[in-house]
């Protein structure tokens, strides 16, 4: 059984594009998705992520401090490891 199946309730999964908007150098975007993310963080809601999201963020940000600025906060997030069935179900959504 995968981690994603062990979670009883997954209320928020944040896509790479939203994380990118939230982590911009000039400050977070005012997009409603970013506002929802910030509210979830402030309320202590669990925000799981996947290795693919982490990888895309690390590939998309540049500069010598970029990796540590992403890795440090992401180390606190639960990491989901999707299996084949998870990908099939996601494609059906």
């Amino acid at each position: 059984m995968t981690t994603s199946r062990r979670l009883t309730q997954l209320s928020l999964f944040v896509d790479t594009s939203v994380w990118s908007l939230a982590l911009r150098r000039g400050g977070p975007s005012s997009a409603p998705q970013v506002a929802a993310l910030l509210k979830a963080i402030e309320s202590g809601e669990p925000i799981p992520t996947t290795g693919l999201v982490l990888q895309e963020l690390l590939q998309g940000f540049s500069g010598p401090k970029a990796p540590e600025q992403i890795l440090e906060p992401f180390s606190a997030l639960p990491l989901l490891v999707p299996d084949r069935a998870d990908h099939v179900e996601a494609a059906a959504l």
Side-chain angles (χ1 to χ4, degrees):
M1 188 175 286
T2 66
T3 304
S4 60
R5 297 201 193 294
R6 281 180 273 192
L7 291 175
T8 57
Q9 182 181 19
L10 179 62
S11 59
L12 181 66
F13 179 81
V14 182
D15 186 61
T16 306
S17 60
V18 177
W19 280 114
S20 180
L21 289 172
L23 296 172
R24 294 201 181 269
R25 285 187 197 154
S29 163
S30 60
Q33 297 89 340
V34 174
L37 170 59
L38 295 176
K39 182 178 176 184
I41 291 170
E42 290 169 1
S43 70
E45 182 177 338
I47 305 170
T49 192
T50 65
L52 184 57
V53 170
L54 179 58
Q55 177 183 337
E56 289 175 340
L57 286 171
L58 289 169
Q59 289 174 324
F61 281 76
S62 61
K65 293 190 176 189
E68 68 187 50
Q69 292 172 332
I70 293 168
L71 290 172
E72 185 177 328
F74 268 68
S75 68
L77 301 179
L79 187 67
L80 299 178
V81 182
D83 63 16
R84 182 184 310 262
D86 293 323
H87 290 285
V88 171
E89 289 175 30
L93 294 177

